[in-house]
Amino acid sequence: MSHKLYQSYKQRPDIAEHYDAICIGSGLGSLTAASLLARKGKKVLVCEKHTTPGGFTHVFTRNDYEWDVGLHYVGDMDRKGSLLRVVFEHITDKNLKWADMGEVYDKVVIKDKTYEYVKGLQNWKTRMKEYFPTEADARAIDKYVELLFEVNKTSKDFYTKKVLPDFMRIISSPFMNNGYDKFARQTTKQVLDSISDNEELKAVLSAQFGDYGMPPSKSSFVIHAAVALHYMNGGFYPVGGSEEIFNTIAPSILSAGGNILVGAGVKEILIENGTAKGVVMQDGKVIKSDIVISGAGVHITYKNLIPQESKPKIKHIDEALNMPQSFGHLSLYIGLKHTAEELNLPKANYWIYPNGTDHDKAIADFLEDYNNEFPVVYISFPAAKNPKFEEKYPGRSTIEIITVAKYDWFKEWETTKWKKRGEEYDILKEKLAQRLLEHLYIYEPQLRGKIDLYELSTPITTKHFCNYINGEIYGLDHPPERFTKEFLKPQTPIKNLFLTGQDIVTVGIGGALMSGVLTASAITKSNLINEIVKSSK
Ligand SMILES: Cc1cc2nc3c(=O)[nH]c(=O)nc-3n(C[C@H](O)[C@H](O)[C@H](O)COP(=O)(O)OP(=O)(O)OC[C@H]3O[C@@H](n4cnc5c(N)ncnc54)[C@H](O)[C@@H]3O)c2cc1C
């Protein structure tokens, strides 16, 4: 990563007296908002607590290996007119390239049977109908796809409403969102149960639930539909790795006179007379700005960053803080001294369900006791997806294995120092790591004996590096109630304080990207989506 793109706060870089806007956190939501404001001539300061910028798009290295932490595939990058692609091209000046994962992007394994998710709607439907050939199942598959599109069609109002001023929202409400609300209120399980009795089919259709972190009986159908459709035209991976997202957005922020600081934790938002005026850094330094944007997540912002005396101004603060957070995760980062080609690593991700078709029960059983079988084992092969991996790390490759975890399992070590958390913590991690590796060897047996190093992260690692209070994987959870919360939007009751990031839209690279567009639109009081689309033509 080019070190010229950001500076360390510790090294006392030049910080201006005043900025047009300050972004708290350097996740994709913040970076997108910052870039769009910079393109309007605004001088923006991005303050990131971690020593590497990018939020969950950052990468880390160890012994000549590199891993991404929160990006394994992104959909919707193939079509020229895709909104996500157009926005990415806009904020990166077309410098970010995407590598296609090929025909198969996800492999779902239910017990011993493997189902491939193939690229392209028709191909996907045809393949599913080959797996499930009865007439009733074929009808259910058609109906399922129809419903995904219905949700998609009605979702526009949901996003539009987030940027309308309050009075407009109230008068336009009766005319908007009805279709979307109907789907948002239903769980994924309710919708799937309404179209099929075949448990195996429903388990396959809901197999990507790990992408939004809630099993079928808990998640709103709208988040399921958004994710399923998002990937229907295949999976894509940033050429050069996920750090290229930061590397290609940052220049636009810097060239408008902005700064990006790492190791720059914000302690509090400076609020005077009900108006945000800047930020107070962890060391007490005050940096002033006209606008403050928090991309640190709703819980962190409302719990930690709003000064006590300003909290009563936010009427929905308790409701927001009572919203459930997603569960935590374990991630096993693996390094191998062979290339992806030599090891025959696939590009497709595995979604392994060792317990069978009941995702809800599997999750509940595991969260109750981690000695139970993993409810899902997700395996990603970044070295196979990234065409530049070999150039950067010759003769090497990497793999990541992810599953669910509870913060409480590791809570007793939360105050210990990273890397020095003690023997008991290391023993527990080793036990879990070995169990995860065994799942990898079942499906890729050639890898046994080939692993050079591995390191397991836990929810306290996530807290340490990305600051999420309970090390949650995806910020706020996605139950039906989430979609009724009108305060999940850029504007806040504090004048000139705005929110951005996954919590105000939905989880995912696409969700975070769009949150940044919505936040910049709310700040500039303009329809930036239209502007971006027009300028792309
Ligand atoms: C394991 C994992 C796998 C994932 N895989 C995918 C995938 O394959 N595809 C996909 O689309 N999405 C994926 N996601 C989701 C996606 O990465 C996130 O939804 C998205 O990146 C969140 O962006 P954000 O803008 O909300 O900010 P975040 O990335 O959450 O960043 C917030 C930043 O704010 C900083 N911060 C917090 N408090 C402060 C403070 N007080 N001062 C300064 N800085 C602060 C944090 O350190 C952090 O860097 C994955 C996520 C995880 C965790």
Side-chain angles (χ1 to χ4, degrees):
M1 183 180 291
S2 164
H3 289 268
K4 288 195 192 102
L5 295 177
Y6 61 90
Q7 294 170 290
S8 163
Y9 183 67
K10 237 203 220 151
Q11 282 162 5
R12 309 200 167 277
D14 288 338
I15 298 172
E17 289 280 296
H18 181 270
Y19 288 86
D20 293 318
I22 296 178
C23 290
I24 306 172
S26 64
L28 183 56
S30 283
L31 292 177
T32 305
S35 173
L36 292 172
L37 292 176
R39 284 162 201 279
K40 297 271 177 201
K42 305 279 183 214
K43 198 159 89 172
V44 186
L45 174 69
V46 177
C47 293
E48 169 54 52
K49 182 173 176 287
H50 186 21
T51 47
T52 312
F56 278 120
T57 65
H58 84 266
V59 301
F60 74 97
T61 51
R62 205 79 82 233
N63 297 8
D64 265 340
Y65 291 105
E66 173 188 299
W67 296 272
D68 47 47
V69 299
L71 191 165
H72 303 111
Y73 62 149
V74 174
D76 253 340
M77 286 299 153
D78 59 328
R79 287 177 301 113
K80 262 211 144 36
S82 133
L83 184 59
L84 291 189
R85 182 172 154 161
V86 166
V87 175
F88 261 123
E89 286 183 348
H90 185 81
I91 61 170
T92 65
D93 297 296
K94 296 195 175 164
N95 285 320
L96 180 65
K97 306 284 181 223
W98 295 89
D100 192 332
M101 285 168 65
E103 280 313 293
V104 180
Y105 54 97
D106 278 329
K107 281 191 212 171
V108 175
V109 185
I110 310 258
K111 280 222 163 129
D112 302 323
K113 204 159 173 210
T114 302
Y115 301 87
E116 291 181 341
Y117 269 41
V118 294
K119 181 180 172 171
L121 180 64
Q122 282 315 322
N123 298 340
W124 184 89
K125 268 177 46 171
T126 307
R127 182 66 65 90
M128 284 298 144
K129 288 178 187 176
E130 283 164 14
Y131 293 134
F132 297 98
T134 70
E135 231 176 80
D137 288 343
R139 261 201 316 275
I141 292 163
D142 286 335
K143 183 69 191 167
Y144 170 73
V145 170
E146 215 177 277
L147 292 175
L148 299 185
F149 278 97
E150 246 184 85
V151 174
N152 182 261
K153 217 169 56 202
T154 55
S155 65
K156 199 171 154 230
D157 286 350
F158 170 72
Y159 296 106
T160 310
K161 248 177 118 176
K162 288 189 182 284
V163 282
L164 288 179
D166 283 345
F167 72 95
M168 284 286 288
R169 196 176 5 260
I170 292 161
I171 54 172
S172 59
S173 252
F175 309 104
M176 296 174 88
N177 251 344
N178 294 336
Y180 194 76
D181 280 352
K182 187 185 84 190
F183 288 117
R185 275 197 300 270
Q186 297 178 70
T187 63
T188 307
K189 179 168 164 45
Q190 283 169 332
V191 173
L192 293 179
D193 284 348
S194 75
I195 60 173
S196 175
D197 296 325
N198 184 339
E199 297 305 325
E200 183 92 5
L201 171 62
K202 288 186 281 184
V204 173
L205 295 180
S206 56
Q208 293 167 317
F209 80 84
D211 279 328
Y212 47 85
M214 282 195 105
S217 78
K218 302 258 169 31
S219 54
S220 166
F221 182 62
V222 292
I223 183 64
H224 173 80
V227 166
L229 257 192
H230 174 65
Y231 290 114
M232 209 55 107
N233 286 314
F236 296 81
Y237 189 82
V239 175
S242 67
E243 69 169 346
E244 285 307 311
I245 293 184
F246 172 79
N247 289 345
T248 52
I249 299 174
S252 57
I253 300 167
L254 302 184
S255 63
N259 280 26
I260 300 167
L261 303 178
V262 297
V266 169
K267 188 165 110 202
E268 216 169 64
I269 296 162
L270 180 69
I271 299 173
E272 289 169 3
N273 303 322
T275 303
K277 298 274 186 178
V279 295
V280 183
M281 305 301 285
Q282 286 294 352
D283 63 2
K285 183 180 170 66
V286 170
I287 311 176
K288 297 220 166 169
S289 62
D290 292 338
I291 301 270
V292 176
I293 301 168
S294 178
V298 161
H299 275 256
I300 294 174
T301 306
Y302 286 164
K303 190 165 175 235
N304 300 342
L305 300 179
I306 303 282
Q308 206 50 40
E309 62 278 13
S310 297
K311 286 186 176 172
K313 255 209 102 143
I314 305 172
K315 297 275 178 286
H316 56 255
I317 198 160
D318 290 337
E319 201 182 338
L321 289 174
N322 281 328
M323 287 183 72
Q325 294 145 304
S326 50
F327 43 57
H329 73 291
L330 303 174
S331 190
L332 187 65
Y333 298 97
I334 301 169
L336 306 100
K337 276 189 182 154
H338 292 273
T339 66
E341 206 181 355
E342 284 164 357
L343 293 170
N344 204 15
L345 299 183
K347 288 182 180 168
N349 312 303
Y350 280 105
W351 291 99
I352 300 163
Y353 293 96
N355 300 291
T357 56
D358 192 341
H359 301 323
D360 280 278
K361 184 172 181 314
I363 289 275
D365 288 350
F366 185 66
L367 289 179
E368 200 168 299
D369 181 354
Y370 58 67
N371 291 305
N372 287 329
E373 179 56 286
F374 294 121
V376 52
V377 179
Y378 173 82
I379 311 181
S380 168
F381 304 88
K385 298 180 215 185
N386 175 3
K388 289 217 169 142
F389 191 91
E390 240 213 283
E391 200 180 294
K392 223 164 151 187
Y393 300 99
R396 290 177 179 242
S397 57
T398 54
I399 300 174
E400 286 159 33
I401 312 182
I402 297 177
T403 193
V404 172
K406 243 179 161 168
Y407 188 80
D408 283 357
W409 298 340
F410 305 93
K411 197 174 166 56
E412 61 180 290
W413 295 286
E414 69 181 351
T415 52
T416 57
K417 269 209 150 110
W418 178 62
K419 287 270 186 195
K420 292 190 183 110
R421 300 202 194 273
E423 204 186 350
E424 267 183 66
Y425 178 73
D426 291 341
I427 291 172
L428 174 56
K429 286 209 313 178
E430 177 61 15
K431 206 167 111 187
L432 292 161
Q434 289 302 333
R435 286 175 55 194
L436 288 170
L437 285 171
E438 284 308 316
H439 283 280
L440 171 69
Y441 299 144
I442 296 174
Y443 301 96
E444 299 294 333
Q446 76 282 14
L447 301 179
R448 202 181 276 277
K450 293 279 186 338
I451 289 174
D452 178 34
L453 69 81
Y454 57 85
E455 189 171 320
L456 188 81
S457 79
T458 73
I460 54 175
T461 325
T462 310
K463 180 175 182 164
H464 179 74
F465 289 111
C466 286
N467 211 24
Y468 282 92
I469 291 170
N470 289 312
E472 55 270 31
I473 182 168
Y474 296 143
L476 294 176
D477 241 341
H478 295 72
E481 302 76 54
R482 171 180 177 144
F483 297 89
T484 63
K485 306 291 184 199
E486 293 198 347
F487 54 79
L488 297 180
K489 60 175 183 181
Q491 295 95 335
T492 73
I494 308 284
K495 199 170 164 217
N496 295 343
L497 171 64
F498 293 82
L499 302 177
T500 199
Q502 59 187 357
D503 282 355
I504 67 156
V505 178
T506 59
V507 64
I509 294 300
L513 182 79
M514 292 319 291
S515 75
V517 180
L518 293 181
T519 302
S521 295
I523 292 169
T524 57
K525 297 191 172 59
S526 50
N527 186 337
L528 290 180
I529 296 184
N530 275 358
E531 270 184 38
I532 294 169
V533 171
K534 259 196 202 151
S535 73
S536 74
K537 289 192 173 140

